[in-house]
Structure formats: structure tokens, C-alpha cells
Amino acid sequence: MPDIAAVKAALAAQRIETPSWGYGNSGTRFKVFTRPGVPRDPYEKLDDAARVHAHTGIAPTVSLHIPWDRVDDWAALAAYAKERGLRLGAINSNTFQDDAYRLGSVCHPDPAVRRKAVGHLLDCVDIMDATGSADLKLWFADGTNYPGQDDVTARQERLAESLAEVYARLGEGQRMLLEYKLFEPAFYATDVPDWGTAYAHCLALGPKARVVVDTGHHAPGTNIEFIVALLLREGRLGGFDFNSRFFADDDLMAGAADPFQLFRIMHEVVRNGGLEPSAGVAFMLDQCHNVEDKVPAVIRSVMNVQEATAKALLVDADALAAAQRSGDVLAAHAVLMDAYATDVRPLLRALREERGLDPDPVAAYLRSGHQERIAAERVGGDQAGWGA
């Protein structure tokens, strides 16, 4: 049976990075529903992130998105984060919201457009230098909508050339995390559509390049935990973008649509050493809260990942291995199901109390008055987000 003290230690050491854009207004291509009190600038996003960390105790880093979070003084922003018990995490690039990128960015047939896109990525590395961030996270909307629109192979060559230039710019201790997505906004052929394409480019680039698994970026029925296990085996899993999906890239709260899938993913993470700091796996949220209040939604997502992790840590590894060796299919499955069926909320409540935290983070947030305070204070100006 798992050692409960060891389980608690692993949970206490867990870190989940929250996204700056998760605190701002977001929506679909049909409508962005605004909510009172959303941040108007990166500093207010950090204020909200600090509140999440204060109530959960495991969310000390915040991903930034460029240009959404651009400021004049990056050192000042990093210092502001530190004052609030936070650090600036991954720097996310944006090569999909400029008219020049209609036919792609780093894969565009026009060298001038590719130069513009690579220039932005290099600028993001400069920001990493200024903020102390270790990870450059890349997702490309590049692709084609029609057969014959462009040369598929040539686009891969342009991608490889662009990535190599940015990779060469990375400093000591910095990494490139390459994300993939099955489709959208390109509907015929996306240039980085799956883990295999991302993995192939990372292998060609070198050890500083790793793959990011966004849990919403797969075809229905894809065995995401298999991908996770394989990338961990190869030492190429750079991180996660946790969210939930029902149909496509829905960006709902982690664990909301299929908590059993999240458990299965975390089981492979635990089984293959992915929780160890040496594995270098960044556990990040990537969510757009369209109709709900932002801060409590982020807190709930952190808690959902934490609960899935706790259940994965409770899997009886010895019993599972014994059943697998003997070919006892039902016994092996039962070991996993027993762990998944365990109510880990009492364990997590006790852990929080031992660490001086409120046992119920969402209730503690609602009692804090932060939501009412920001709704009253954050009035006027442009709300932070992508055009929201």
C-alpha cells in the first residue's frame, strides 16, 4: 500500500502554473462575455494569481502571453510578482493575431513574413532573459485550408529553419516547449498537428526542445496517457496545458469533462517519474473561462489537478505490477479503479490544514472579499485579454 506520508509530501511539492489569460475576459468567435473585476493589465493579473496561490499553496508561477502581457519594464513586473510570492513562468508567443499571418507565420511562403514571426520569437527570448523565465512556449496556428494551397513539405522545412534559429538563441537553462494541435484555425492541414510532428522537430533541434501536451488538442478517443508515457520514456515531455474538452479545443476547467482521463494521465506521470523535479515537466493550465468568474475557476482547476494527482499517488504499484506479471487483467484494472474511486478530499483538506491553509480553497476565496473588491475597484479602461 502507498505510504500516506510520502503521498502527502509529493502533493505538498507539486506545482501548477496558472495562465495570465485565464484571469481576463475571453470567449468564442461568437461572443466575449465580460465579467466585473477582470484585470486591466498584467499587474492586476498577478494580483489575482497571488490570490490563487494563497488559497491553494501550489500555484506560485504565472505564464505570460506576448503581446497581451507586454509592459515597458520587465524587471519591474518580475519584482512585482516576487513581492506577491510569485514567479513569472513560461513566455507564450503569439504568431496568430496579425494580418500578416493569414497564410501562416514561421511556415509562411513569404520570407518577409517568416522574418517577422521569428523576430517576435526572438523578442520573447529577450523577455525570458529579462524576467528570469526558463521556458519559451510555442504554438503555431500555421496550416492550410485547401488541398494544393501550399507545399506541405516546404512548410515543414520553413518551420524547421525558423525553429533552429530561435533554438540557437536560447541561453543556459532555457528551453523551447513545442505545442501541437489537431486542427483550428487551419482545417485541411495543420503544420504541427500531433505529438509525432512536434517530437520529430524537437529531436532535430536538441535537448533543450521538448513537447507540450495540451489535453484538448487531440482527436476524440485519442489515448493521451499513452502519448504522455511515451514522451516521458523518451525524456521529451516538457509540460502540460491542462484543460477539458467535449468536442474540440474547448479550454474548459481541467477535469471538468472527463476526470477519469485526467487521473489516467496523472497515473502515467507518477508511474514514469514525471513528478520528480529532474523530469522537468511543467504542469500548466491553459484555459479560457468564458461564462464563469475567473479566480474561483482557476482555483477549482488547480484543485482538480491536485485531486487527480492524489488518486494517482494512491495506486498500489506493487499490487498492480503483480497483477500485470501474472496476466490477471481484472485484478490489474481493479487496482486502478480502487485508487480512482478513493475520495481524496479528506486527505487534501488535512494536508492544507497542516500547511496552514484553509481546507476549502474556493470557500476561503469567496469569504476573502477579493471578488467584491476587484469588481468595485477595476472600473474603466480596457479589460486585459485578446481584444476583450
Side-chain angles (χ1 to χ4, degrees):
M1 292 295 294
D3 181 340
I4 296 302
V7 170
K8 283 186 173 182
L11 290 168
Q14 186 177 31
R15 297 292 179 264
I16 299 170
E17 188 166 307
T18 68
S20 67
W21 56 96
Y23 299 103
N25 281 325
S26 58
T28 69
R29 55 187 171 146
F30 300 107
K31 172 66 176 174
V32 172
F33 295 101
T34 60
R35 298 292 299 165
V38 297
R40 295 163 296 182
D41 57 46
Y43 290 90
E44 291 182 345
K45 292 178 182 180
L46 292 177
D47 289 337
D48 287 353
R51 181 61 61 173
V52 172
H53 182 46
H55 292 301
T56 64
I58 62 168
T61 57
V62 183
S63 302
L64 299 183
H65 203 294
I66 310 303
W68 301 345
D69 295 320
R70 185 174 291 281
V71 295
D72 294 330
D73 190 335
W74 293 109
L77 186 67
Y80 190 85
K82 186 176 181 180
E83 290 171 2
R84 280 144 188 78
L86 302 172
R87 289 179 291 105
L88 300 181
I91 302 299
N92 292 255
S93 62
N94 182 323
T95 55
F96 53 88
Q97 283 191 302
D98 189 298
D99 285 345
Y101 301 142
R102 182 173 63 89
L103 300 179
S105 61
V106 293
C107 300
H108 198 287
D110 185 344
V113 176
R114 297 200 299 275
R115 184 73 259 148
K116 176 184 176 74
V118 170
H120 169 69
L121 302 184
L122 295 174
D123 180 46
C124 286
V125 181
D126 291 340
I127 294 171
M128 292 169 66
D129 292 340
T131 59
S133 302
D135 291 334
L136 172 66
K137 189 140 73 69
L138 306 178
W139 172 73
F140 299 110
D142 292 38
T144 55
N145 277 0
Y146 297 96
Q149 177 181 325
D150 199 358
D151 187 313
V152 173
T153 302
R155 294 181 72 89
Q156 288 298 310
E157 292 169 352
R158 298 169 200 150
L159 172 63
E161 181 179 331
S162 298
L163 291 176
E165 181 175 351
V166 179
Y167 185 89
R169 169 65 181 81
L170 295 175
E172 188 68 28
Q174 293 179 337
R175 307 187 304 174
M176 174 187 290
L177 305 183
L178 182 58
E179 190 176 347
Y180 57 90
K181 186 176 182 179
L182 178 66
F183 75 101
E184 192 192 36
F187 291 100
Y188 171 64
T190 303
D191 290 316
V192 189
D194 52 37
W195 71 269
T197 305
Y199 178 55
H201 281 285
C202 288
L203 280 182
L205 289 167
K208 292 182 179 180
R210 294 195 181 190
V211 180
V212 170
V213 174
D214 184 306
T215 50
H217 285 187
H218 304 83
T222 298
N223 190 319
I224 300 174
E225 56 268 32
F226 172 84
I227 298 169
V228 170
L230 190 147
L231 290 173
L232 279 168
R233 180 179 182 272
E234 298 298 314
R236 289 287 178 161
L237 179 62
F240 287 95
D241 274 355
F242 284 119
N243 52 58
S244 286
R245 47 78 62 82
F246 286 102
F247 299 105
D249 181 25
D250 302 338
D251 275 353
L252 301 175
M253 294 189 306
D258 189 351
F260 185 47
Q261 180 189 67
L262 183 56
F263 161 75
R264 299 193 310 265
I265 290 170
M266 292 311 302
H267 167 64
E268 294 301 334
V269 170
V270 171
R271 163 70 181 79
N272 293 283
L275 287 184
E276 299 298 324
S278 59
V281 179
F283 297 93
M284 301 174 281
L285 303 180
D286 178 16
Q287 300 174 179
C288 292
H289 306 292
N290 300 340
V291 297
E292 63 268 43
D293 285 334
K294 317 306 177 181
V295 179
V298 176
I299 292 174
R300 174 57 65 187
S301 293
V302 171
M303 292 172 64
N304 287 349
V305 176
Q306 194 178 33
E307 288 180 14
T309 306
K311 292 183 178 188
L313 288 163
L314 289 176
V315 172
D316 189 333
D318 292 338
L320 181 61
Q324 290 170 342
R325 285 195 302 270
S326 66
D328 193 334
V329 175
L330 293 180
H333 180 62
V335 171
L336 279 187
M337 294 308 297
D338 284 346
Y340 177 68
T342 302
D343 185 356
V344 297
R345 291 173 298 176
L347 171 67
L348 290 169
R349 284 195 292 266
L351 174 64
R352 293 183 189 117
E353 288 180 323
E354 291 169 9
R355 302 183 66 203
L357 301 171
D358 190 286
D360 187 338
V362 173
Y365 172 74
L366 296 178
R367 289 195 309 270
S368 72
H370 182 76
Q371 192 68 38
E372 293 79 10
R373 187 161 53 253
I374 61 178
E377 294 175 355
R378 296 175 183 172
V379 178
D382 294 326
Q383 293 165 318
W386 76 359

